[in-house]
């Protein structure tokens, strides 16, 4: 079973619709992240959370919101989707281990198309 | 975090060693070098990290220059499945901050 799962894996929606992308993890990590990836570009950070009560904006948070419902769940919402939010979205988790540092574990991605 | 510079793309023949360079000339003393890779449209995968000593694991080797201003990721016997985008990142160990990915190097393994 995958440690980090994302639902849905693919989604087509229309401009102006509200949609939610969900991420769940079974690794027991405190830290969770949402990234988007556009063709030819690297990953860009949208939001991140270091524990259930902590939410932080990333590089490109405008037009997005998040909810950390539990340690294992981190949802990304597009309140009113627009076509330039068409992208591949990744959720990631990480934890700090003394002497080892932080490595991230990524989900399989959600491909979103906004018409 | 210090910025990194990587070539946008590289080719390597299957079975040969793939050597991926990364420049991080402004790296500070407490920043580690991390490498991730992303196979087409999949989530990035952690490969290896190090501070100043060379590191090796089952996936790759990491060579860091003595002045720590550059490093090289080595895939000893590249296969077609190693075709991916490789990201070099520098950041402080256990720092309470986000990880920022750049554009990486697109590695093509040629049959």
């Amino acid at each position: 079973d995958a440690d980090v799962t994302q639902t849905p894996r693919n989604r087509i929606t229309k401009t102006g619709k509200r949609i939610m992308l969900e991420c769940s993890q079974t690794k027991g990590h405190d830290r969770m992240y949402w990234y988007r990836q556009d063709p030819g570009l690297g990953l860009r950070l949208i939001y991140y959370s270091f524990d259930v009560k902590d939410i932080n904006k990333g590089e490109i948070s405008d037009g997005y919101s998040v909810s950390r419902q539990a340690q294992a769940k981190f949802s990304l919402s597009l309140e009113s989707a627009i076509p330039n939010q068409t992208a591949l979205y990744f959720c990631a988790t990480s934890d700090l281990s003394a002497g080892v540092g932080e490595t991230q574990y990524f989900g399989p991605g959600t491909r979103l198309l906004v018409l | 975090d210090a910025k990194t510079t990587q070539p946008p793309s590289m080719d390597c023949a299957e079975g040969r060693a793939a050597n991926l360079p990364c420049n991080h000339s402004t790296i500070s003393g407490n920043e580690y070098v991390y490498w991730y890779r992303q196979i087409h449209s999949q989530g990035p995968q952690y490969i290896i990290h190090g501070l100043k000593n060379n590191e090796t694991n089952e996936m790759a080797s990491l060579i860091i220059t003595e002045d720590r201003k550059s490093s090289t990721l080595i895939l000893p016997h590249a296969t077609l499945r190693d075709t991916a985008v490789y990201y070099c990142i520098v950041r402080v160990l256990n720092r309470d901050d986000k990880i920022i990915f750049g554009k990486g190097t697109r590695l093509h393994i040629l049959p």
Side-chain angles (χ1 to χ4, degrees):
Chain A
D1 289 338
D3 294 318
V4 184
T5 58
Q6 293 183 231
T7 56
R9 294 293 312 276
N10 295 280
R11 178 75 182 269
I12 300 174
T13 192
K14 294 182 178 180
T15 297
K17 294 291 186 180
R18 181 181 187 277
I19 66 166
M20 179 182 292
L21 309 183
E22 299 186 351
C23 176
S24 295
Q25 52 111 348
T26 58
K27 299 189 73 67
H29 289 169
D30 287 327
R31 300 183 169 203
M32 298 188 73
Y33 305 77
W34 275 105
Y35 292 89
R36 69 175 277 177
Q37 187 170 40
D38 299 277
L41 300 178
L43 293 162
R44 291 186 292 167
L45 184 64
I46 305 172
Y47 271 97
Y48 60 105
S49 169
F50 284 169
D51 64 43
V52 175
K53 298 179 182 179
D54 177 73
I55 300 291
N56 303 284
K57 292 183 177 180
E59 304 168 84
I60 52 164
S61 57
D62 289 347
Y64 302 94
S65 62
V66 291
S67 173
R68 185 79 185 268
Q69 303 94 321
Q71 185 200 42
K73 295 185 181 297
F74 192 36
S75 299
L76 176 72
S77 294
L78 286 67
E79 298 300 326
S80 179
I82 56 177
N84 75 1
Q85 291 178 312
T86 292
L88 184 55
Y89 290 84
F90 288 104
C91 173
T93 75
S94 69
D95 202 0
L96 295 181
S97 299
V100 176
E102 179 179 7
T103 61
Q104 288 186 313
Y105 299 87
F106 284 80
T110 294
R111 192 172 295 278
L112 175 65
L113 172 61
V114 182
L115 301 176
Chain B
D1 289 345
K3 293 183 178 180
T4 62
T5 304
Q6 299 177 253
S9 66
M10 291 182 61
D11 293 337
C12 179
E14 188 177 18
R16 305 296 294 270
N19 297 281
L20 293 95
C22 180
N23 287 320
H24 30 80
S25 58
T26 60
I27 193 170
S28 59
N30 60 348
E31 287 184 310
Y32 279 63
V33 180
Y34 284 78
W35 283 84
Y36 286 76
R37 75 178 183 184
Q38 185 177 22
I39 296 171
H40 179 64
S41 295
Q42 297 181 20
Q45 175 190 25
Y46 165 80
I47 302 173
I48 198 168
H49 75 283
L51 181 62
K52 54 184 178 181
N53 297 321
N54 297 338
E55 302 288 344
T56 296
N57 63 19
E58 65 277 6
M59 291 182 67
S61 295
L62 174 60
I63 309 299
I64 302 173
T65 58
E66 190 170 348
D67 63 7
R68 301 206 330 117
K69 293 184 177 182
S70 65
S71 60
T72 301
L73 178 74
I74 301 173
L75 308 178
H77 303 287
T79 71
L80 295 177
R81 288 177 296 178
D82 292 321
T83 293
V85 177
Y86 288 77
Y87 297 98
C88 170
I89 299 162
V90 295
R91 68 191 303 271
V92 176
L93 183 68
N94 296 345
R95 180 176 176 179
D96 193 22
D97 200 354
K98 53 192 178 294
I99 293 175
I100 301 294
F101 287 79
K103 295 185 178 180
T105 295
R106 185 171 296 277
L107 177 65
H108 300 275
I109 305 300
L110 307 175

